[in-house]
Amino acid sequence: MKNKNSAVPRVVKDALILFAVTLVAGFLLGLVYTVTLDARTAQSEKEEQEAYQAVFPDGNTFTELEFEAGDAEEALSAAGITSSQASVDKVTSAEDASGEWLGYAITVTDFEGYGGSITMIVGILADGTVSGVSITDISETAGLGMKATDESFIGQYAGVKTDAFEVEKNKSEDAGDNVIDAISGATRTSNAVTNGVNGAIAMFQYLSEAGE
């Protein structure tokens, strides 16, 4: 009669082999992650510096400032933006080659894009004028929401001083400079980017009032 327990060692052997393969695979993945970490970090920092330069062409030195998360939430709340809608991720002070302060480059993430979160760096000059917007992370629909990175859309914010931007479909000719012409077929994306920019403006105003 065949021993019913004869298959047990085989099962154990297979389990041990599977465990060993998984262990080795995990180790190799971890090794690859570690080896490439410096390169990925360097690339990320390079892209960030390029974004700072895009919103502050005259910028020479960019220094990250510390701030309390509660202060950022308070600033956004004053502008009617909740923590579930957007967050201020980083505030960076920009100076030119002579050391003159130019303004702040404020990194904001809006969580309400059509394809997910949208992260952007908003440059705001010392007098409160938006100097430019650079989108650093976006995953909207190709041919629609991704047009948010086009100069024809993102360039609408630059050179405008306002407490808040608004979005309008088929922007009328008599609309103010603070009215953003929505991307055709991507109003949700347009609103998300605009909400992020408004969040940066709110943070700028908060810092200005606090004398930062």
Side-chain angles (χ1 to χ4, degrees):
M1 179 179 294
K2 188 176 179 179
N3 188 345
K4 294 182 179 180
N5 296 323
S6 62
V8 174
R10 178 61 181 274
V11 171
V12 173
K13 181 180 179 180
D14 290 346
L16 290 174
I17 292 174
L18 180 60
F19 173 76
V21 170
T22 303
L23 186 63
V24 171
F27 172 76
L28 292 176
L29 285 173
L31 181 62
V32 170
Y33 178 85
T34 301
V35 169
T36 61
L37 179 60
D38 288 344
R40 288 183 286 108
T41 299
Q43 180 61 29
S44 178
E45 291 177 349
K46 178 184 177 183
E47 292 174 353
E48 185 177 58
Q49 288 299 312
E50 290 174 347
Y52 289 151
Q53 205 70 59
V55 300
F56 278 112
D58 295 330
N60 182 71
T61 304
F62 299 97
T63 306
E64 183 179 350
L65 304 179
E66 294 185 0
F67 63 92
E68 296 293 333
D71 292 340
E73 291 182 3
E74 182 179 339
L76 294 181
S77 179
I81 303 172
T82 68
S83 59
S84 63
Q85 293 176 311
S87 68
V88 175
D89 307 323
K90 186 181 293 188
V91 175
T92 303
S93 179
E95 297 180 351
D96 64 15
S98 66
E100 181 179 355
W101 182 64
L102 299 175
Y104 294 122
I106 302 176
T107 304
V108 181
T109 296
D110 183 277
F111 307 123
E112 299 186 316
Y114 183 81
S117 298
I118 301 175
T119 300
M120 66 206 78
I121 294 178
V122 183
I124 305 180
L125 298 170
D127 68 350
T129 300
V130 175
S131 59
V133 179
S134 180
I135 295 179
T136 58
D137 187 43
I138 185 172
S139 55
E140 299 295 272
T141 305
L144 291 174
M146 287 304 291
K147 289 183 178 180
T149 60
D150 293 351
E151 182 60 26
S152 58
F153 175 76
I154 209 70
Q156 296 181 81
Y157 302 95
V160 180
K161 182 178 180 180
T162 180
D163 289 335
F165 286 95
E166 302 174 9
V167 175
E168 184 178 291
K169 293 182 180 179
N170 302 315
K171 178 181 175 180
S172 58
E173 293 183 1
D174 60 347
D177 290 339
N178 70 316
V179 178
I180 301 300
D181 193 8
I183 301 168
S184 179
T187 302
R188 182 168 174 177
T189 303
S190 304
N191 283 327
V193 175
T194 300
N195 194 58
V197 175
N198 286 341
I201 293 173
M203 188 62 182
F204 173 87
Q205 293 174 339
Y206 182 90
L207 292 172
S208 298
E209 292 171 2
E212 295 292 336

